Amino acid sequence: MSIEEKLAGKGITLPVAAAPVASYLPAVEAGGFLHISGQISMREDKSLITGTLGEDLDVDAGIAAARRCGIMLLAQMKAALGSLDRVERVVKLGGFVNSADDFTDQPKVVNGASDLMFEAFGEAGRHARSAVGVNTLPLGVAVEVDAIVKIRD
């Protein structure tokens, strides 16, 4: 069963990969790795998930936003590689959480993306990670996540 079939069985449909909104590439393949630019929290209807964790949004809303970032990462992987089956391993995720000054649950929020990688790739989806609180993110989004993945030839 392909990774996409596995995701479809879980009710996950990948959107078209988002085009860059500034001077960068959405993904760069180099030395057997795919480096994916930060993907922002966006709903299926392409509306942005905005807000600040600990003010406008609670942890569960943050987890859902991070999961949406993960779905966007998968879409970028597919666009760059042609198939998610070329992903050998998720190496690292970097999670950025728009946080109130006293919010400290960034790791719980970024689990939304991390857990999705495990759902998609099994043990190969387990990865190193950063989960950082920031005072703002582009377009006011709640979460942004980037990734590095090892790829098969």
Side-chain angles (χ1 to χ4, degrees), residues 52-142:
T52 302
L53 275 290
E55 285 180 8
D56 321 284
L57 301 172
D58 63 15
V59 171
D60 288 338
I63 291 168
R67 184 176 177 86
R68 288 299 305 167
C69 293
I71 289 170
M72 298 306 294
L73 286 169
L74 293 173
Q76 291 293 355
M77 290 176 207
K78 181 182 175 190
L81 301 173
S83 169
L84 293 176
D85 295 320
R86 286 196 57 209
V87 173
E88 184 175 319
R89 177 170 193 93
V90 179
V91 176
K92 185 167 195 256
L93 295 185
F96 304 90
V97 180
N98 186 348
S99 301
D101 289 343
D102 61 348
F103 185 79
T104 59
D105 283 331
Q106 291 84 2
K108 289 180 185 175
V109 168
V110 180
N111 279 347
S114 292
D115 293 346
L116 177 66
M117 294 304 135
F118 180 72
E119 282 181 56
F121 301 108
E123 286 299 318
R126 294 199 188 276
H127 50 269
R129 187 182 85 181
S130 300
V132 179
V134 296
N135 71 338
T136 190
L137 284 169
L139 306 173
V141 297

